[in-house]
């Protein structure tokens, strides 16, 4: 097989939590009288919680906010977000995604998560996918968020693989940039299936199995 490891972004690739991020940020923004819509929400894909807040605050016209106030805003957004995540069940993972992960593992490929989120493990537990991966690299083990390559470099290290052996599956432009900066092969899905920098552009996980050399 051409590749030995596959590193998956979580939000927008394995599960669709974008709507929950949007609802939670929207509540926070509305509470502060800040304009926020789904187009702005698209810019938050793949970037950290703190950077997401800064993007939302571009539209804020009040007095400058202290670091403490910003931390409070992120905390309250995260509380709302986790309440929404708590409603997730294993049915929130599409059948083709779950079965592709299983087939890839059975074929001897190493699988990892490469997510900017600090809630990654909580989400994986909710949808019963903790055991589907050999390693998890997430927002709790990085200091730089995508498009920085750190989260994928760490995932490759956790798997014991060289970057040339790894494929990253991403829905965010920032994630494709991060994968290329890590010298890995990048697969764009969803939003990122229209991104020129992706080495492969796919619509679904059946196409991913072909890239993996399984079907
Ligand atoms: C990424 C999402 O997976 O995680 C971003 O695409 C989000 O939108 C980031 O900002 C951080 O998530 P969390 O769960 O740590 O707030
Ligand atoms: Mg994503």
């Amino acid at each position: 097989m051409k590749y030995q490891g596959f590193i998956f972004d979580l939000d927008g690739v394995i599960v669709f939590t974008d709507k929950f991020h949007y609802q939670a940020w929207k509540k926070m923004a509305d509470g502060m009288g800040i304009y926020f819509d789904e187009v702005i929400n698209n810019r938050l894909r793949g970037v950290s919680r703190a950077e997401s807040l800064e993007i939302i605050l571009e539209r804020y016209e009040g007095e400058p906010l202290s670091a403490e106030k910003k931390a409070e805003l992120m905390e309250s957004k995260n509380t709302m977000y986790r309440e929404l995540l708590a409603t997730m069940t294993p049915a929130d993972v599409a059948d083709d995604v779950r079965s592709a992960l299983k087939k890839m593992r059975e074929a001897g490929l190493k699988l990892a998560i490469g997510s900017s989120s600090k809630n990654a493990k909580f989400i994986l537990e909710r949808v019963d996918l903790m055991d589907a991966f050999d390693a998890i690299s997430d927002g709790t083990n990085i200091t730089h968020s995508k498009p920085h390559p750190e989260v994928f470099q760490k995932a490759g290290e956790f798997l014991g693989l060289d970057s040339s052996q790894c494929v990253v599956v991403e829905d965010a432009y920032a994630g494709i940039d991060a994968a290329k900066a890590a010298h890995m092969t990048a697969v764009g899905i969803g939003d990122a299936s229209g991104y020129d920098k992706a080495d492969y552009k796919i619509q679904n996980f059946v196409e991913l199995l072909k890239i993996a050399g399984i079907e």
Side-chain angles (χ1 to χ4, degrees), residues 11 21 44-49 52 81 115-119:
D11 296 319
H21 276 297
L44 312 185
R45 233 182 264 275
V47 306
S48 71
R49 197 181 303 166
S52 299
Y81 178 56
S115 165
S116 306
S117 175
K118 292 186 169 139
N119 292 299

Side-chain angles (χ1 to χ4, degrees), residues 1-181:
M1 274 186 283
K2 196 167 167 194
Y3 307 109
Q4 274 73 50
F6 279 73
I7 305 170
F8 296 86
D9 172 52
L10 181 61
D11 296 319
V13 173
I14 303 288
V15 286
F16 296 92
T17 49
D18 319 42
K19 55 184 186 292
F20 295 149
H21 276 297
Y22 177 68
Q23 285 171 35
W25 281 127
K26 177 80 179 146
K27 236 183 184 173
M28 187 215 78
D30 286 352
M32 294 180 72
I34 303 170
Y35 179 78
F36 181 58
D37 63 18
E38 304 222 21
V39 177
I40 302 172
N41 190 58
N42 260 337
R43 290 176 55 205
L44 312 185
R45 233 182 264 275
V47 306
S48 71
R49 197 181 303 166
E51 285 163 305
S52 299
L53 177 65
E54 293 303 332
I55 290 170
I56 294 168
L57 291 178
E58 286 170 8
R59 300 266 186 153
Y60 173 68
E61 286 168 353
E63 291 294 309
L65 301 175
S66 65
E68 290 75 21
K69 178 67 187 167
K70 287 183 184 177
E72 209 178 279
L73 291 171
M74 284 190 280
E75 187 59 37
S76 88
K77 180 266 171 178
N78 195 48
T79 302
M80 287 187 268
Y81 178 56
R82 282 176 71 98
E83 278 167 19
L84 295 166
L85 292 180
T87 66
M88 293 183 86
T89 70
D92 285 303
V93 177
D95 291 344
D96 63 331
V97 171
R98 203 179 281 278
S99 97
L101 293 173
K102 192 163 174 271
K103 285 181 186 164
M104 291 171 95
R105 206 88 176 287
E106 284 166 1
L109 293 165
K110 295 273 176 222
L111 308 186
I113 286 289
S115 165
S116 306
S117 175
K118 292 186 169 139
N119 292 299
K121 291 189 181 111
F122 181 58
I123 296 168
L124 290 169
E125 275 161 14
R126 293 297 317 160
V127 300
D128 194 23
L129 275 182
M130 270 305 263
D131 296 336
F133 299 94
D134 301 287
I136 296 169
S137 174
D138 64 15
T140 64
N141 62 257
I142 54 170
T143 43
H144 308 284
S145 184
K146 299 168 191 175
H148 192 283
E150 186 180 12
V151 74
F152 295 135
Q153 287 167 332
K154 285 263 161 63
E157 272 170 44
F158 294 162
L159 293 179
L161 296 175
D162 189 76
S163 36
S164 63
Q165 300 173 298
C166 296
V167 178
V168 168
V169 187
E170 258 293 348
D171 73 311
Y173 282 44
I176 298 288
D177 289 340
K180 294 319 297 172

